[in-house]
Every structure is written in C-alpha cells, then in structure tokens.
C-alpha cells in the first residue's frame, strides 16, 4: 500500500500526449509542487493520411523526461509516494512475441482506414 498520508508526500503524474510528454508532481491535495518537465515531439504524417510515431522514439522521449526529473530533483524524489500515468487514447502499436514493437504507434488521428470502412461495414 502506498503511503500518501505524510504531509510531504507527492504523486508524480506522467502525461504522454499527442504533442509532448510531461511529468509534474502534485501534493495529496492536488496542488502542483514541482518536477515540472515537458519534452515536446511531433507525430510523423504521411501523404496518405497516416499519423504515427516510432514506438522506440516515444519510449526514448519518456526516458529523457524521467532522466530530467531525476537529475533536477533527485534528492526530492524521496517524497514521491505514487506515480500515475495518462496516455493519449485509441492508439495502436503492433507488438511481437518478444514484447517489442513491430509497428509504429498509429494515432487516433490516422485517416488511412477510411478507405476500407465501406467494405468492413458490408462484411459485418
């Protein structure tokens, strides 16, 4: 069980969004208390409507955010009692049997499937 009853306790929130990854700490009352690190990135777009990002590149960005949090606030990290994570919604990444990505992360904004929706509708 996580001990968040300490007056010095904080919760590290990590947000993996469509344009950046951000980490920020909040106290147990929900007020920001530090560790505010944000690294922007952009999705790759293709001429046929694709919106995607290399899964390893996204993971690397997350690691760099966490590295910055630790390097800037290492001694303060003892106050972190919990970590919460939020990610963008309705995305897809293919994963092989070894647990490693075999496709880029395909964004919810990708419009390439539009060309097959009619055929799928008829089949279903």
């Amino acid at each position: 069980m996580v001990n968040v009853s300490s007056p010095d306790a904080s919760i590290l929130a990590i947000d993996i969004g469509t344009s950046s990854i951000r980490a920020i700490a909040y106290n147990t009352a929900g007020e920001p208390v530090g560790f505010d690190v944000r690294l922007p990135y952009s999705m790759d777009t293709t001429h046929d409507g694709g919106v995607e990002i290399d899964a390893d590149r996204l993971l690397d960005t997350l690691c760099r955010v966490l590295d910055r949090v630790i390097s800037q606030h290492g001694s303060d990290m003892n106050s972190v009692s919990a970590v919460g994570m939020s990610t963008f919604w309705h995305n897809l990444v293919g994963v092989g049997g070894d647990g490693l990505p075999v496709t880029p992360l395909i964004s919810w904004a990708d419009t390439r499937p539009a060309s097959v929706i009619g055929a799928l509708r008829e089949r279903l």
Side-chain angles (χ1 to χ4, degrees):
M1 180 89 157
V2 175
N3 179 12
V4 292
S5 61
S6 166
D8 297 329
S10 62
I11 300 160
L12 182 63
I14 301 169
D15 176 37
I16 302 175
T18 305
S19 62
S20 70
I21 297 178
R22 185 173 185 186
I24 188 167
Y26 294 88
N27 64 21
T28 56
E31 300 162 331
V33 294
F35 308 153
D36 193 352
V37 175
R38 178 182 175 272
L39 285 180
Y41 60 85
S42 58
M43 296 278 191
D44 301 319
T45 57
T46 63
H47 69 282
D48 59 348
V51 181
E52 58 191 34
I53 187 168
D54 180 80
D56 290 328
R57 187 173 126 215
L58 190 61
L59 177 60
D60 178 67
T61 304
L62 173 60
C63 291
R64 287 188 295 126
V65 166
L66 295 175
D67 285 345
R68 285 189 186 182
V69 166
I70 291 167
S71 70
Q72 293 174 13
H73 306 286
S75 61
D76 297 330
M77 294 300 293
N78 292 333
S79 68
V80 174
S81 298
V83 176
M85 183 175 282
S86 172
T87 63
F88 33 52
W89 57 293
H90 300 299
N91 292 291
L92 177 71
V93 64
V95 178
D98 57 2
L100 298 175
V102 295
T103 69
L105 181 138
I106 301 170
S107 168
W108 59 270
D110 194 301
T111 60
R112 290 176 289 190
S115 64
V116 298
I117 290 174
L120 286 173
R121 185 176 291 126
E122 286 181 27
R123 287 183 69 186
L124 300 174

